Amino acid sequence: MALVQTIIWFLVALVILVAVHEFGHFYVARRCGVKVLRFSIGFGRVLWRRRDKQGTEYALAAIPLGGYVKMLDEREGDVPEEELHRAFNRKNVWQRIAIVAAGPVANFILAILLFWLLMIPGTREPIPIVGEVEPGSIAAQAGLEAGQEILAVDGEPTPTWQALHQQLLRRLGESGTIQFLVKYPGSDLQYMSQAPLDGWLRGAEEPDPVAGLGLTLDRPEPQAILGQIVPGSPAELAGLQSGDRILSVDGEVVSGWSEWVDYVRARPGEEIQMTVERDGGQASLSVTPETVEENGERFGRIGVGIQPQPWPEDRIRTYRYGPVESFVAGVDRTWETAGFVLLSVKKLVVGEISTKNLSGPITIAKVAGDSAESGWKSFVGFVALLSIFLGVFNLLPIPVLDGGHLMYYAIEVVKGSPVSDRAQQIGYQIGLVMVVGLMVLAFYNDIMRL
């Protein structure tokens, strides 16, 4: 069932992105007076089709891994003389540029609108506060200490976990110096520190930049409040209920969830006396953890989950936007993300990050399913990010992509005449090999992650 849901959400995301991209080409082509012969979502056998009054066929095909807009073009077949003025190749170079660029632009517009939708209610994100620092690590060399708030990295503000993560990702594979601006809790004094980088995390697969610094970000310890109780488990047999807060075990006060879990795991088969808080009062219970053996390890388990708990307000940064501010924030987010994607492409090309980080349809499908399971906001954010990636990727100057066509048109603008058909054909063959090679590498990476 989980696999089916993953596939469904992947197809939903893909169809949205492809439809928006191709609609961009379609809309601008019609505005420029080009006759559109077919608007197709997917490839292969046509499952559904409809034709409008202008002669355009709309189709859904069996393989939904892309789409296309077919326009009237003398290079692809005979065109009646009375319709020559509606052929794509007869339009001036600026109109052709507009039609080709419209697809990626539509993806960027979609991302802006989705971010706008997410930001209208406001956002809440954790503040980056240092938890533990590994001795001898980059963080230790920079003098970072537990409890410090990381205000900026390399001069760029990092008010949230996401901002910190994004800024650190920009330094992957680089050498030089990384700078931190920090402050201690309860103080307004700020301190600047730095540490050397030498090919930082170069070649790492799925690098974690925070862990790569040798630190963890502090998470408030959740209280030992029970959530789901597994039916038939020792917890249910002992009379534990969802919402119970564990106050003490065997006379020892329980300070948080981790301490409670460690206590239970260390006592397989041993009776534990507990005091719990329930409905404003207290109750005394006893439970005997069942014995579990996994990978040669023997530990106790009683069959309970933790109740979700909000973070303290002083550990959260809240942003509230009006409709206009939300739109501006969406534009900024789209611009920054597009720049980051371009930087990542550059780092892949020069070898600063590993090609093992390329992901194909299997990984994308998994992320689509996981984001949908996390809630609609997570899924919408995923679609926005994927839309930006699709837009940037299509603008790369590789023949067979939109960016390759735009490169040819830019040359035409400079030299005053189109690039020769032979030069274009050679470019398309090279571009096809490059794109297929990338797809094969990405798919291979997917398989190796299974």
Side-chain angles (χ1 to χ4, degrees), residues 118-147:
L118 291 174
M119 292 177 179
I120 284 180
T123 60
R124 291 167 53 83
E125 299 182 46
I127 298 172
I129 295 176
V130 178
E132 298 180 359
V133 177
E134 182 182 338
S137 64
I138 294 172
Q141 294 178 54
L144 299 187
E145 300 176 9

Side-chain angles (χ1 to χ4, degrees), residues 21 24 27 30 57 60 73 166 178 285 295 345 395 423 433:
H21 182 91
Y27 178 78
R30 278 205 167 171
E57 181 184 76
L60 287 176
D73 195 315
Q166 185 94 354
I178 186 170
L285 303 169
N295 301 321
V345 171
L395 285 177
V433 171

Side-chain angles (χ1 to χ4, degrees), residues 124-194:
R124 291 167 53 83
E125 299 182 46
I127 298 172
I129 295 176
V130 178
E132 298 180 359
V133 177
E134 182 182 338
S137 64
I138 294 172
Q141 294 178 54
L144 299 187
E145 300 176 9
Q148 291 179 330
E149 178 184 345
I150 302 176
L151 302 174
V153 173
D154 294 330
E156 292 294 327
T158 54
T160 64
W161 279 25
Q162 182 178 6
L164 173 64
H165 194 266
Q166 185 94 354
Q167 185 58 27
L168 291 177
L169 284 174
R170 294 179 180 275
R171 297 302 307 272
L172 289 180
E174 295 185 5
S175 299
T177 299
I178 186 170
Q179 294 184 336
F180 301 93
L181 181 64
V182 302
K183 74 170 186 176
Y184 288 95
S187 172
D188 292 330
L189 295 177
Q190 300 179 359
Y191 303 87
M192 180 79 74
S193 61
Q194 62 183 33

Side-chain angles (χ1 to χ4, degrees), residues 110-431:
L110 173 64
I112 291 171
L113 294 177
L114 293 179
F115 284 139
W116 175 67
L117 177 66
L118 291 174
M119 292 177 179
I120 284 180
T123 60
R124 291 167 53 83
E125 299 182 46
I127 298 172
I129 295 176
V130 178
E132 298 180 359
V133 177
E134 182 182 338
S137 64
I138 294 172
Q141 294 178 54
L144 299 187
E145 300 176 9
Q148 291 179 330
E149 178 184 345
I150 302 176
L151 302 174
V153 173
D154 294 330
E156 292 294 327
T158 54
T160 64
W161 279 25
Q162 182 178 6
L164 173 64
H165 194 266
Q166 185 94 354
Q167 185 58 27
L168 291 177
L169 284 174
R170 294 179 180 275
R171 297 302 307 272
L172 289 180
E174 295 185 5
S175 299
T177 299
I178 186 170
Q179 294 184 336
F180 301 93
L181 181 64
V182 302
K183 74 170 186 176
Y184 288 95
S187 172
D188 292 330
L189 295 177
Q190 300 179 359
Y191 303 87
M192 180 79 74
S193 61
Q194 62 183 33
L197 297 179
D198 184 13
W200 183 50
L201 297 179
R202 180 175 296 181
E205 184 177 354
E206 298 182 12
D208 182 339
V210 174
L213 290 177
L215 61 80
T216 60
L217 294 177
D218 187 55
R219 296 172 179 267
E221 174 67 17
Q223 299 181 58
I225 301 177
L226 306 185
Q228 181 182 10
I229 307 294
V230 177
S233 66
E236 184 183 58
L237 297 176
L240 288 170
Q241 299 177 10
S242 178
D244 285 349
R245 178 188 173 200
I246 310 300
L247 298 177
S248 65
V249 289
D250 294 333
E252 298 181 16
V253 175
V254 174
S255 61
W257 180 260
S258 297
E259 183 180 347
W260 155 245
V261 170
D262 291 342
Y263 195 90
V264 170
R265 287 177 62 89
R267 288 162 178 79
E270 300 179 20
E271 185 179 36
I272 299 175
Q273 301 294 327
M274 301 176 298
T275 300
V276 303
E277 182 183 90
R278 178 186 296 170
D279 299 327
Q282 295 186 4
S284 296
L285 303 169
S286 64
V287 64
T288 302
E290 63 182 345
T291 301
V292 179
E293 291 191 16
E294 290 183 1
N295 301 321
E297 182 184 6
R298 189 168 175 269
F299 57 89
R301 183 173 65 191
I302 66 171
V304 298
I306 186 173
Q307 185 178 88
Q309 301 166 40
W311 279 34
E313 288 299 318
D314 63 350
R315 302 293 297 275
I316 295 291
R317 195 151 271 138
T318 301
Y319 297 92
R320 302 195 183 281
Y321 308 95
V324 175
E325 291 86 350
S326 298
F327 182 80
V328 173
V331 172
D332 289 342
R333 179 78 180 275
T334 301
W335 176 262
E336 291 173 1
T337 305
F340 174 73
V341 173
L342 278 174
L343 178 63
S344 299
V345 171
K346 171 253 181 184
K347 287 177 178 288
L348 278 170
V349 171
V350 301
E352 289 183 343
I353 58 178
S354 172
T355 54
K356 294 179 181 179
N357 291 290
L358 283 173
S359 296
I362 296 176
T363 299
I364 295 173
K366 183 177 183 303
V367 175
D370 291 344
S371 64
E373 187 176 343
S374 298
W376 72 269
K377 288 185 177 181
S378 179
F379 182 71
V380 169
F382 164 75
V383 173
L385 292 174
L386 197 57
S387 188
I388 295 171
F389 173 81
L390 182 61
V392 172
F393 180 75
N394 271 281
L395 285 177
L396 295 178
I398 300 175
V400 310
L401 298 179
D402 293 333
H405 292 285
L406 293 175
M407 178 180 65
Y408 287 143
Y409 298 150
I411 294 173
E412 181 177 343
V413 169
V414 172
K415 67 191 289 280
S417 61
V419 176
S420 69
D421 290 341
R422 176 167 175 75
Q424 290 191 45
Q425 188 62 36
I426 294 174
Y428 290 147
Q429 292 173 351
I430 295 173

